[in-house]
Amino acid sequence: MIIVFKKDATKNEINDLIKRVKKLGLKAMVSRGEERTIVGVIGPEDIVRLHPLDVLPGVDKVMPVLAPYKLVSREFKKENSIIKIREGIEIGSEKIAIIAGPCSIESESQIDEIAGKIKEGGAGILRGGAFKPRSSPYTFQGLGEEGLKMLKAVSDKFNIPTATEVMDTRDVDLVAKYTDILQIGARNMQNFNLLKEVGQTKKPIILKRGLSATIKELLMSAEYILSEGNFNVILCERGIRTFEEFTRNTLDLSAVPSIKMLSHLPVIVDPSHACGKWGLVAPLSKAAVACGTDGLLLEVHSNPKEALSDGSQQLLPENFNNLVGELRSVAKAVGRQI
Amino acid sequence: MIIVFKKDATKNEINDLIKRVKKLGLKAMVSRGEERTIVGVIGPEDIVRLHPLDVLPGVDKVMPVLAPYKLVSREFKKENSIIKIREGIEIGSEKIAIIAGPCSIESESQIDEIAGKIKEGGAGILRGGAFKPRSSPYTFQGLGEEGLKMLKAVSDKFNIPTATEVMDTRDVDLVAKYTDILQIGARNMQNFNLLKEVGQTKKPIILKRGLSATIKELLMSAEYILSEGNFNVILCERGIRTFEEFTRNTLDLSAVPSIKMLSHLPVIVDPSHACGKWGLVAPLSKAAVACGTDGLLLEVHSNPKEALSDGSQQLLPENFNNLVGELRSVAKAVGRQI
Amino acid sequence: MIIVFKKDATKNEINDLIKRVKKLGLKAMVSRGEERTIVGVIGPEDIVRLHPLDVLPGVDKVMPVLAPYKLVSREFKKENSIIKIREGIEIGSEKIAIIAGPCSIESESQIDEIAGKIKEGGAGILRGGAFKPRSSPYTFQGLGEEGLKMLKAVSDKFNIPTATEVMDTRDVDLVAKYTDILQIGARNMQNFNLLKEVGQTKKPIILKRGLSATIKELLMSAEYILSEGNFNVILCERGIRTFEEFTRNTLDLSAVPSIKMLSHLPVIVDPSHACGKWGLVAPLSKAAVACGTDGLLLEVHSNPKEALSDGSQQLLPENFNNLVGELRSVAKAVGRQI
Amino acid sequence: MIIVFKKDATKNEINDLIKRVKKLGLKAMVSRGEERTIVGVIGPEDIVRLHPLDVLPGVDKVMPVLAPYKLVSREFKKENSIIKIREGIEIGSEKIAIIAGPCSIESESQIDEIAGKIKEGGAGILRGGAFKPRSSPYTFQGLGEEGLKMLKAVSDKFNIPTATEVMDTRDVDLVAKYTDILQIGARNMQNFNLLKEVGQTKKPIILKRGLSATIKELLMSAEYILSEGNFNVILCERGIRTFEEFTRNTLDLSAVPSIKMLSHLPVIVDPSHACGKWGLVAPLSKAAVACGTDGLLLEVHSNPKEALSDGSQQLLPENFNNLVGELRSVAKAVGRQI
């Protein structure tokens, strides 16, 4: 059960309710957002039903936790959420966000060169990994804090916001210091401690769908972040695991309109990881725009042949430029812009 | 075909295999690496498929190198195939085909009404099922030949070609008499006798991807039809089975550009069956057009609530009309037309 | 809705009910089993609710078709069904059936040699394919009727019943003439016309689970056969399709106790096809026995290296003999015998 | 590593690749077949993984030949590894380990009562969760350190070693202080930082297979732990995600003999989580023993109806006792003991 307070609820009103909840033998989880305070009540819902809480002063609404996710649901908030990244840059509005960059940060010159090219090519946000989740311990694991510093330097030089992955609860503060957007990778979608940790920052979070996560589970994981008070969550479809072998994963584009039905949060698509073949990135990007994505995560590398990771799915800057041009036409055809 | 030996394979084991390969009239290229020996077998792989080598002592694994399909492959024919349906109506050209109609033919008035509306709305081909593969023996199984006659009457009246499913080798001639296009349903994608039977007609065939078929297997099933002499095959992506529960199946739109890479055959998309929710049909149709589909199979029903099958995924004629309008814009944006 | 008549219901009572059902505008599907007559009523269930049928003379019970399968359900019949194959040979009793033989019948001497060996080794039923569903049109498709004749000859010589696959509605009578048990392969699990056709014979049917079929769908397909009056159905788990790549399919042994909960029909396991590696056949066979299977389908070949299909998963006769010995111990440990 | 060229690859393209391979210090073996050219690359595959070759012009596909894991492989160590837990208690030997206890530690009296009963019933190791990965933030998250203290107290009282999950890199030292075995849950199988962290302890680690992890990926994750110097790893099959809906997950028992082929590490099975229904736990446990498991993880609760998590899959102590008795017979039948 979720108790949502009115915007102007007083501290006293909130504390009164928490006391009452505890007296009933239930646990209260308070999350103070920028706009309002929300209290999650944990324990048998029957008890609460016998002791109505929505009549208490300051309370806006009481929502049963029958549907498993609450704060992320379209019921909870009718309008689309728009996540502000920086002045003039947001995700979830009419304008579709292009987030581009290499899979891994490899050197200052590499990230500098790519940043310049993708900004010129139309990207609004720079991506690049410093901590890389690799299935083998013997492959390149990312440059760590050195990479984050390179990313920050380039971000300042080109005045472009950045997104990068965080994999460890211990690194959240560190990564947050250097980047605008924290990314939770598919393998960590159900790393609940990490979700809570990023929920305690105010940073925008890109939450990627797990390799075998249902849409409902993705929304539940987002709920972890919102329940800690951070409502700046961007969901990301990046392909699910199936029996198909030609593509690395199966990009589930039906997740885009499905999430739009179920949640107010913006949703973006990462076609590069999903298909693992750069020749499929362009058609799938167009498809994503056509079915309503709020953004695209695109891997771009000046020299994919020499890339330290995922070379086979990275676009060349010139392909990227062409693609953005084509995407503009598709966006226009569905009433959006890039 | 590549044969990888175990680390501890003996010289004798390796020599035995090489002898066997040579006896089959094939060439063997041995390379002794630091860790193990690998033998490349050169020559038609079909011969090796008949004589399994992975059961021989010392062999770790056998890896085929060539695709097992031939006539359907892009290597066999570089240019896109265009399938003629009737004078002026074809699938695979610049113009995207809209194939619309009800899931099942229910009565002459029903199919007559819908045919008129979808033709007006922009459809070039009428679809409707007379033989219905239903998972329960206790649900409506289709009108059979009566339904085919209704379909033919309406086809003549509106001068619109038709597509309908055939489920039984014994019915191929019957169905071919009444319709322009024969459809093989997902459940029959590997009903090889049925594939051979329709391969002996000259009719255009829509071959739907099985619920858990890989793209390679879909192409292999098409190969059955082509190998009988019928090259008029249209492949159809209609959703695959995954763990996701919000949608009925997961529409694999990456199959569209993937098939275009691998084969010269046209490919169409059926978003209605894939998602099972009419609210998702419009965004997924736009996505399909954006990523290169040659056609769409859309379920349209004047009264979905009363439909004898699959009501929840069928569009109303007015929704269909709006959708075709939107699809025209997307098609234009990617250099196609409807 | 299913109407089950009492064992001693008269023809008149049955006909009266059918008339009444038709007068209500509903369709009646009559199936006269050996023990009793069952009528399936097709149409809106509300109508029947307003006109109770369970008060009519001769009617034992009326079961709503809310649960989608009926005749196969454990609710419909509490005791395990035992399917008689021949005098002294049955499937579903305390004794676990061993069904063994080659993937394909290749020649009379081949099937003769294997039949002798597997009978000696403890098999009660001989299997071997004459019609082979192969994903490529260019591979061995089976010997057809010639193969069936060889199977029959060997069956007579060794006095051993046989099982073989039927793939085409047109071949059901032919195959039924030569064999004791008809097998429906995984790819045809939802070939509903074929199910109806074998439902009209009185032969025992082995129905294999489709590659991506749920347990519920397997039971629904069995329902097609039972609803035609043939209650001699043996279900077969043979692996489902997942993302795992080391095994060809994933053998779902939980299907065995699950089916036992839901249905009265016997269930057998085919580990050979599921894993595709003969080294896994022995441990999985023991596991199948331990969790309650009523039988095993095992591929045995005197010379797997020369087999025309699926060589890598076929056991040698001596491995088969050893395995049966080990299975006897496991069977005894769980209160069964072989 | 094998590089397959496209049919129309040019001589220059092929020569370019060969030069590049040689520059990396690797050997290239060229074989020009009738249809296409294939190049075998000999030398450490890791080098090639860092320098993707499939993006080069003319290349059709790149096929790795060697397994990417080393220390966990059967080739690295032929004999089965036996992991010592305490004096006289080990996993991987002839004796099958029974690890039992509640899903969650709920109170001192609860864990005390269950510990006594399962020890009496034949369990050698006590399990119980203090940190619980739950898909909803609003459900019971475990007692944390309080729970660990309860577990330790009971461990001392009954002289029984314990296993409990660790979810956060920051908690590894804490959890290691209180328990004998650290467990990595399915959702954290690819939480690589957590794997490295437990790899730096010397504690035995139970590593559960991820919901959609292949066997290869499970072995790669184990490799992370071994590569940090901790060889005390026990792999655990706990069900994978498929389309089947009757069971919560699909227990992949073929993983047991498959892992035994590929690795020297012991493997245990958790049937409780996999099927989510206690009625299936007994048959699947017997199956696991029959196919070679080195241990079982069984959920036991004195009062499943009141359990704070996963009540429907927990066994009552009396069911547990009966089951252990039955498992002893099956173990004996396959030459093991409990």
Side-chain angles (χ1 to χ4, degrees), chain A residues 134 138 168-169 187 190 212 217 223-224 241, chain D residues 134 138 168-169 187 190-191 212 217 223-224 241:
Chain A
R134 304 299 300 275
Y138 307 124
D168 193 317
T169 49
R187 286 171 181 80
Q190 292 193 318
S212 71
E217 288 170 334
E223 187 82 12
Y224 260 96
R241 187 157 271 189
Chain D
R134 304 299 301 275
Y138 308 125
D168 195 318
T169 49
R187 286 171 182 80
Q190 293 194 319
N191 183 337
S212 70
E217 288 170 334
E223 187 82 12
Y224 261 97
R241 188 158 270 189

PDB file of all heavy atoms in Angstrom, chain A residues 134 138 168-169 187 190 212 217 223-224 241, chain D residues 134 138 168-169 187 190-191 212 217 223-224 241:
ATOM      1  N   ARG A 134      31.727  -7.658 -18.432  1.00  0.00           N
ATOM      2  CA  ARG A 134      32.114  -8.579 -19.507  1.00  0.00           C
ATOM      3  C   ARG A 134      31.974 -10.006 -19.016  1.00  0.00           C
ATOM      4  O   ARG A 134      32.396 -10.327 -17.900  1.00  0.00           O
ATOM      5  CB  ARG A 134      33.562  -8.311 -19.926  1.00  0.00           C
ATOM      6  CG  ARG A 134      33.825  -6.860 -20.361  1.00  0.00           C
ATOM      7  CD  ARG A 134      33.001  -6.448 -21.565  1.00  0.00           C
ATOM      8  NE  ARG A 134      33.270  -7.268 -22.720  1.00  0.00           N
ATOM      9  CZ  ARG A 134      34.262  -7.048 -23.580  1.00  0.00           C
ATOM     10  NH1 ARG A 134      35.042  -6.005 -23.416  1.00  0.00           N
ATOM     11  NH2 ARG A 134      34.449  -7.850 -24.596  1.00  0.00           N
ATOM     12  N   TYR A 138      38.794 -12.374 -18.570  1.00  0.00           N
ATOM     13  CA  TYR A 138      40.056 -12.177 -19.291  1.00  0.00           C
ATOM     14  C   TYR A 138      39.942 -11.126 -20.399  1.00  0.00           C
ATOM     15  O   TYR A 138      40.843 -10.955 -21.196  1.00  0.00           O
ATOM     16  CB  TYR A 138      40.540 -13.502 -19.882  1.00  0.00           C
ATOM     17  CG  TYR A 138      40.614 -14.599 -18.841  1.00  0.00           C
ATOM     18  CD1 TYR A 138      39.936 -15.798 -19.020  1.00  0.00           C
ATOM     19  CD2 TYR A 138      41.334 -14.410 -17.655  1.00  0.00           C
ATOM     20  CE1 TYR A 138      39.985 -16.790 -18.048  1.00  0.00           C
ATOM     21  CE2 TYR A 138      41.377 -15.394 -16.683  1.00  0.00           C
ATOM     22  CZ  TYR A 138      40.707 -16.580 -16.886  1.00  0.00           C
ATOM     23  OH  TYR A 138      40.742 -17.554 -15.925  1.00  0.00           O
ATOM     24  N   ASP A 168      28.477  -1.080  -9.358  1.00  0.00           N
ATOM     25  CA  ASP A 168      28.773  -1.481  -7.985  1.00  0.00           C
ATOM     26  C   ASP A 168      28.212  -0.409  -7.060  1.00  0.00           C
ATOM     27  O   ASP A 168      28.402   0.788  -7.296  1.00  0.00           O
ATOM     28  CB  ASP A 168      30.312  -1.579  -7.842  1.00  0.00           C
ATOM     29  CG  ASP A 168      30.731  -2.290  -6.566  1.00  0.00           C
ATOM     30  OD1 ASP A 168      30.144  -2.016  -5.504  1.00  0.00           O
ATOM     31  OD2 ASP A 168      31.666  -3.111  -6.642  1.00  0.00           O
ATOM     32  N   THR A 169      27.549  -0.835  -5.987  1.00  0.00           N
ATOM     33  CA  THR A 169      27.013   0.137  -5.027  1.00  0.00           C
ATOM     34  C   THR A 169      28.101   1.079  -4.528  1.00  0.00           C
ATOM     35  O   THR A 169      27.840   2.253  -4.268  1.00  0.00           O
ATOM     36  CB  THR A 169      26.406  -0.591  -3.809  1.00  0.00           C
ATOM     37  OG1 THR A 169      27.340  -1.556  -3.324  1.00  0.00           O
ATOM     38  CG2 THR A 169      25.108  -1.306  -4.185  1.00  0.00           C
ATOM     39  N   ARG A 187      22.377  -6.659 -16.943  1.00  0.00           N
ATOM     40  CA  ARG A 187      22.745  -7.701 -15.977  1.00  0.00           C
ATOM     41  C   ARG A 187      22.490  -7.270 -14.537  1.00  0.00           C
ATOM     42  O   ARG A 187      22.474  -8.081 -13.634  1.00  0.00           O
ATOM     43  CB  ARG A 187      24.214  -8.074 -16.159  1.00  0.00           C
ATOM     44  CG  ARG A 187      24.421  -8.909 -17.402  1.00  0.00           C
ATOM     45  CD  ARG A 187      25.881  -9.086 -17.707  1.00  0.00           C
ATOM     46  NE  ARG A 187      26.040  -9.864 -18.927  1.00  0.00           N
ATOM     47  CZ  ARG A 187      25.913  -9.360 -20.146  1.00  0.00           C
ATOM     48  NH1 ARG A 187      25.618  -8.082 -20.300  1.00  0.00           N
ATOM     49  NH2 ARG A 187      26.066 -10.136 -21.206  1.00  0.00           N
ATOM     50  N   GLN A 190      18.179  -6.453 -11.771  1.00  0.00           N
ATOM     51  CA  GLN A 190      17.636  -6.907 -10.488  1.00  0.00           C
ATOM     52  C   GLN A 190      18.713  -6.952  -9.395  1.00  0.00           C
ATOM     53  O   GLN A 190      18.635  -7.758  -8.485  1.00  0.00           O
ATOM     54  CB  GLN A 190      16.925  -8.250 -10.656  1.00  0.00           C
ATOM     55  CG  GLN A 190      15.653  -8.092 -11.497  1.00  0.00           C
ATOM     56  CD  GLN A 190      14.748  -9.305 -11.431  1.00  0.00           C
ATOM     57  OE1 GLN A 190      15.197 -10.440 -11.470  1.00  0.00           O
ATOM     58  NE2 GLN A 190      13.448  -9.069 -11.325  1.00  0.00           N
ATOM     59  N   SER A 212      16.282 -11.516 -19.582  1.00  0.00           N
ATOM     60  CA  SER A 212      15.072 -12.343 -19.596  1.00  0.00           C
ATOM     61  C   SER A 212      14.025 -11.747 -18.686  1.00  0.00           C
ATOM     62  O   SER A 212      13.229 -12.453 -18.085  1.00  0.00           O
ATOM     63  CB  SER A 212      15.388 -13.776 -19.185  1.00  0.00           C
ATOM     64  OG  SER A 212      15.695 -13.829 -17.819  1.00  0.00           O
ATOM     65  N   GLU A 217       8.554  -6.922 -14.679  1.00  0.00           N
ATOM     66  CA  GLU A 217       9.729  -6.909 -13.802  1.00  0.00           C
ATOM     67  C   GLU A 217      10.581  -5.664 -14.018  1.00  0.00           C
ATOM     68  O   GLU A 217      11.171  -5.138 -13.070  1.00  0.00           O
ATOM     69  CB  GLU A 217      10.580  -8.160 -14.039  1.00  0.00           C
ATOM     70  CG  GLU A 217       9.925  -9.410 -13.497  1.00  0.00           C
ATOM     71  CD  GLU A 217      10.632 -10.677 -13.932  1.00  0.00           C
ATOM     72  OE1 GLU A 217      11.283 -10.664 -14.998  1.00  0.00           O
ATOM     73  OE2 GLU A 217      10.513 -11.687 -13.230  1.00  0.00           O
ATOM     74  N   GLU A 223      10.446   0.735  -9.950  1.00  0.00           N
ATOM     75  CA  GLU A 223       9.749   1.083  -8.706  1.00  0.00           C
ATOM     76  C   GLU A 223      10.724   1.180  -7.524  1.00  0.00           C
ATOM     77  O   GLU A 223      10.563   2.025  -6.645  1.00  0.00           O
ATOM     78  CB  GLU A 223       8.661   0.022  -8.414  1.00  0.00           C
ATOM     79  CG  GLU A 223       7.750   0.346  -7.249  1.00  0.00           C
ATOM     80  CD  GLU A 223       6.620   1.295  -7.612  1.00  0.00           C
ATOM     81  OE1 GLU A 223       6.388   1.549  -8.819  1.00  0.00           O
ATOM     82  OE2 GLU A 223       5.961   1.806  -6.677  1.00  0.00           O
ATOM     83  N   TYR A 224      11.737   0.308  -7.508  1.00  0.00           N
ATOM     84  CA  TYR A 224      12.758   0.388  -6.461  1.00  0.00           C
ATOM     85  C   TYR A 224      13.405   1.771  -6.436  1.00  0.00           C
ATOM     86  O   TYR A 224      13.645   2.353  -5.389  1.00  0.00           O
ATOM     87  CB  TYR A 224      13.861  -0.657  -6.706  1.00  0.00           C
ATOM     88  CG  TYR A 224      13.738  -1.919  -5.879  1.00  0.00           C
ATOM     89  CD1 TYR A 224      13.122  -3.047  -6.407  1.00  0.00           C
ATOM     90  CD2 TYR A 224      14.233  -1.985  -4.573  1.00  0.00           C
ATOM     91  CE1 TYR A 224      13.011  -4.224  -5.656  1.00  0.00           C
ATOM     92  CE2 TYR A 224      14.125  -3.150  -3.824  1.00  0.00           C
ATOM     93  CZ  TYR A 224      13.518  -4.261  -4.361  1.00  0.00           C
ATOM     94  OH  TYR A 224      13.404  -5.413  -3.619  1.00  0.00           O
ATOM     95  N   ARG A 241      16.436 -12.401 -24.483  1.00  0.00           N
ATOM     96  CA  ARG A 241      17.064 -13.639 -24.908  1.00  0.00           C
ATOM     97  C   ARG A 241      15.996 -14.617 -25.400  1.00  0.00           C
ATOM     98  O   ARG A 241      15.024 -14.898 -24.706  1.00  0.00           O
ATOM     99  CB  ARG A 241      17.805 -14.238 -23.718  1.00  0.00           C
ATOM    100  CG  ARG A 241      18.625 -15.417 -24.089  1.00  0.00           C
ATOM    101  CD  ARG A 241      19.732 -15.658 -23.102  1.00  0.00           C
ATOM    102  NE  ARG A 241      20.926 -14.923 -23.454  1.00  0.00           N
ATOM    103  CZ  ARG A 241      22.097 -15.094 -22.843  1.00  0.00           C
ATOM    104  NH1 ARG A 241      22.220 -15.938 -21.860  1.00  0.00           N
ATOM    105  NH2 ARG A 241      23.149 -14.402 -23.233  1.00  0.00           N
TER     106      ARG A 241
ATOM    107  N   ARG D 134      14.132  -9.352  -3.663  1.00  0.00           N
ATOM    108  CA  ARG D 134      12.699  -9.466  -3.971  1.00  0.00           C
ATOM    109  C   ARG D 134      12.336  -8.524  -5.101  1.00  0.00           C
ATOM    110  O   ARG D 134      12.783  -7.373  -5.111  1.00  0.00           O
ATOM    111  CB  ARG D 134      11.871  -9.096  -2.727  1.00  0.00           C
ATOM    112  CG  ARG D 134      12.214  -9.932  -1.479  1.00  0.00           C
ATOM    113  CD  ARG D 134      11.950 -11.411  -1.688  1.00  0.00           C
ATOM    114  NE  ARG D 134      10.576 -11.689  -2.012  1.00  0.00           N
ATOM    115  CZ  ARG D 134       9.622 -11.840  -1.089  1.00  0.00           C
ATOM    116  NH1 ARG D 134       9.918 -11.791   0.192  1.00  0.00           N
ATOM    117  NH2 ARG D 134       8.382 -12.084  -1.454  1.00  0.00           N
ATOM    118  N   TYR D 138       8.319  -3.403  -1.924  1.00  0.00           N
ATOM    119  CA  TYR D 138       7.352  -3.313  -0.835  1.00  0.00           C
ATOM    120  C   TYR D 138       7.154  -4.639  -0.119  1.00  0.00           C
ATOM    121  O   TYR D 138       6.252  -4.783   0.681  1.00  0.00           O
ATOM    122  CB  TYR D 138       6.015  -2.791  -1.365  1.00  0.00           C
ATOM    123  CG  TYR D 138       6.174  -1.514  -2.146  1.00  0.00           C
ATOM    124  CD1 TYR D 138       5.702  -1.415  -3.452  1.00  0.00           C
ATOM    125  CD2 TYR D 138       6.825  -0.410  -1.591  1.00  0.00           C
ATOM    126  CE1 TYR D 138       5.884  -0.248  -4.178  1.00  0.00           C
ATOM    127  CE2 TYR D 138       7.004   0.756  -2.317  1.00  0.00           C
ATOM    128  CZ  TYR D 138       6.534   0.830  -3.613  1.00  0.00           C
ATOM    129  OH  TYR D 138       6.709   1.979  -4.326  1.00  0.00           O
ATOM    130  N   ASP D 168      25.527  -7.835  -2.028  1.00  0.00           N
ATOM    131  CA  ASP D 168      26.152  -6.526  -2.184  1.00  0.00           C
ATOM    132  C   ASP D 168      27.636  -6.674  -1.898  1.00  0.00           C
ATOM    133  O   ASP D 168      28.018  -7.315  -0.916  1.00  0.00           O
ATOM    134  CB  ASP D 168      25.490  -5.565  -1.176  1.00  0.00           C
ATOM    135  CG  ASP D 168      25.792  -4.111  -1.468  1.00  0.00           C
ATOM    136  OD1 ASP D 168      26.961  -3.791  -1.796  1.00  0.00           O
ATOM    137  OD2 ASP D 168      24.882  -3.280  -1.362  1.00  0.00           O
ATOM    138  N   THR D 169      28.464  -6.090  -2.750  1.00  0.00           N
ATOM    139  CA  THR D 169      29.918  -6.155  -2.521  1.00  0.00           C
ATOM    140  C   THR D 169      30.272  -5.664  -1.125  1.00  0.00           C
ATOM    141  O   THR D 169      31.210  -6.164  -0.507  1.00  0.00           O
ATOM    142  CB  THR D 169      30.665  -5.279  -3.552  1.00  0.00           C
ATOM    143  OG1 THR D 169      30.051  -3.989  -3.609  1.00  0.00           O
ATOM    144  CG2 THR D 169      30.621  -5.893  -4.931  1.00  0.00           C
ATOM    145  N   ARG D 187      19.973 -13.822  -9.730  1.00  0.00           N
ATOM    146  CA  ARG D 187      19.942 -12.461 -10.273  1.00  0.00           C
ATOM    147  C   ARG D 187      21.317 -11.794 -10.255  1.00  0.00           C
ATOM    148  O   ARG D 187      21.539 -10.786 -10.909  1.00  0.00           O
ATOM    149  CB  ARG D 187      18.941 -11.618  -9.485  1.00  0.00           C
ATOM    150  CG  ARG D 187      17.517 -11.978  -9.821  1.00  0.00           C
ATOM    151  CD  ARG D 187      16.544 -11.314  -8.893  1.00  0.00           C
ATOM    152  NE  ARG D 187      15.185 -11.723  -9.229  1.00  0.00           N
ATOM    153  CZ  ARG D 187      14.652 -12.889  -8.855  1.00  0.00           C
ATOM    154  NH1 ARG D 187      15.363 -13.754  -8.151  1.00  0.00           N
ATOM    155  NH2 ARG D 187      13.406 -13.178  -9.209  1.00  0.00           N
ATOM    156  N   GLN D 190      25.694 -12.526 -12.919  1.00  0.00           N
ATOM    157  CA  GLN D 190      26.597 -11.707 -13.727  1.00  0.00           C
ATOM    158  C   GLN D 190      26.863 -10.349 -13.079  1.00  0.00           C
ATOM    159  O   GLN D 190      27.111  -9.362 -13.773  1.00  0.00           O
ATOM    160  CB  GLN D 190      26.084 -11.579 -15.159  1.00  0.00           C
ATOM    161  CG  GLN D 190      26.143 -12.929 -15.886  1.00  0.00           C
ATOM    162  CD  GLN D 190      25.962 -12.808 -17.374  1.00  0.00           C
ATOM    163  OE1 GLN D 190      25.133 -12.043 -17.848  1.00  0.00           O
ATOM    164  NE2 GLN D 190      26.754 -13.545 -18.140  1.00  0.00           N
ATOM    165  N   ASN D 191      26.784 -10.322 -11.753  1.00  0.00           N
ATOM    166  CA  ASN D 191      27.231  -9.149 -10.994  1.00  0.00           C
ATOM    167  C   ASN D 191      28.720  -9.376 -10.777  1.00  0.00           C
ATOM    168  O   ASN D 191      29.166  -9.923  -9.766  1.00  0.00           O
ATOM    169  CB  ASN D 191      26.461  -9.105  -9.668  1.00  0.00           C
ATOM    170  CG  ASN D 191      26.805  -7.886  -8.835  1.00  0.00           C
ATOM    171  OD1 ASN D 191      27.875  -7.295  -8.982  1.00  0.00           O
ATOM    172  ND2 ASN D 191      25.912  -7.520  -7.944  1.00  0.00           N
ATOM    173  N   SER D 212      18.321 -16.675 -17.255  1.00  0.00           N
ATOM    174  CA  SER D 212      18.423 -16.944 -18.693  1.00  0.00           C
ATOM    175  C   SER D 212      19.878 -17.143 -19.080  1.00  0.00           C
ATOM    176  O   SER D 212      20.281 -16.813 -20.194  1.00  0.00           O
ATOM    177  CB  SER D 212      17.802 -15.813 -19.506  1.00  0.00           C
ATOM    178  OG  SER D 212      18.592 -14.655 -19.407  1.00  0.00           O
ATOM    179  N   GLU D 217      27.802 -19.531 -19.868  1.00  0.00           N
ATOM    180  CA  GLU D 217      27.891 -18.291 -19.086  1.00  0.00           C
ATOM    181  C   GLU D 217      28.021 -18.564 -17.599  1.00  0.00           C
ATOM    182  O   GLU D 217      28.693 -17.820 -16.874  1.00  0.00           O
ATOM    183  CB  GLU D 217      26.664 -17.420 -19.351  1.00  0.00           C
ATOM    184  CG  GLU D 217      26.685 -16.791 -20.729  1.00  0.00           C
ATOM    185  CD  GLU D 217      25.374 -16.128 -21.076  1.00  0.00           C
ATOM    186  OE1 GLU D 217      24.327 -16.547 -20.527  1.00  0.00           O
ATOM    187  OE2 GLU D 217      25.373 -15.207 -21.907  1.00  0.00           O
ATOM    188  N   GLU D 223      34.375 -18.813 -13.502  1.00  0.00           N
ATOM    189  CA  GLU D 223      35.764 -18.480 -13.846  1.00  0.00           C
ATOM    190  C   GLU D 223      36.202 -17.173 -13.165  1.00  0.00           C
ATOM    191  O   GLU D 223      37.357 -17.044 -12.751  1.00  0.00           O
ATOM    192  CB  GLU D 223      35.890 -18.366 -15.373  1.00  0.00           C
ATOM    193  CG  GLU D 223      37.299 -18.179 -15.892  1.00  0.00           C
ATOM    194  CD  GLU D 223      38.088 -19.490 -16.021  1.00  0.00           C
ATOM    195  OE1 GLU D 223      37.490 -20.571 -15.930  1.00  0.00           O
ATOM    196  OE2 GLU D 223      39.322 -19.412 -16.185  1.00  0.00           O
ATOM    197  N   TYR D 224      35.279 -16.207 -13.069  1.00  0.00           N
ATOM    198  CA  TYR D 224      35.591 -14.960 -12.356  1.00  0.00           C
ATOM    199  C   TYR D 224      36.052 -15.244 -10.923  1.00  0.00           C
ATOM    200  O   TYR D 224      37.008 -14.647 -10.432  1.00  0.00           O
ATOM    201  CB  TYR D 224      34.356 -14.041 -12.294  1.00  0.00           C
ATOM    202  CG  TYR D 224      34.334 -12.947 -13.332  1.00  0.00           C
ATOM    203  CD1 TYR D 224      33.637 -13.099 -14.512  1.00  0.00           C
ATOM    204  CD2 TYR D 224      35.006 -11.743 -13.112  1.00  0.00           C
ATOM    205  CE1 TYR D 224      33.606 -12.091 -15.474  1.00  0.00           C
ATOM    206  CE2 TYR D 224      34.968 -10.731 -14.062  1.00  0.00           C
ATOM    207  CZ  TYR D 224      34.276 -10.900 -15.237  1.00  0.00           C
ATOM    208  OH  TYR D 224      34.259  -9.900 -16.167  1.00  0.00           O
ATOM    209  N   ARG D 241      14.317 -19.613 -17.428  1.00  0.00           N
ATOM    210  CA  ARG D 241      13.063 -18.994 -17.840  1.00  0.00           C
ATOM    211  C   ARG D 241      12.678 -19.458 -19.238  1.00  0.00           C
ATOM    212  O   ARG D 241      13.472 -19.352 -20.170  1.00  0.00           O
ATOM    213  CB  ARG D 241      13.243 -17.486 -17.805  1.00  0.00           C
ATOM    214  CG  ARG D 241      11.959 -16.751 -18.024  1.00  0.00           C
ATOM    215  CD  ARG D 241      12.026 -15.361 -17.480  1.00  0.00           C
ATOM    216  NE  ARG D 241      11.601 -15.309 -16.098  1.00  0.00           N
ATOM    217  CZ  ARG D 241      11.403 -14.174 -15.432  1.00  0.00           C
ATOM    218  NH1 ARG D 241      11.621 -13.018 -16.018  1.00  0.00           N
ATOM    219  NH2 ARG D 241      10.992 -14.198 -14.191  1.00  0.00           N
TER     220      ARG D 241
END
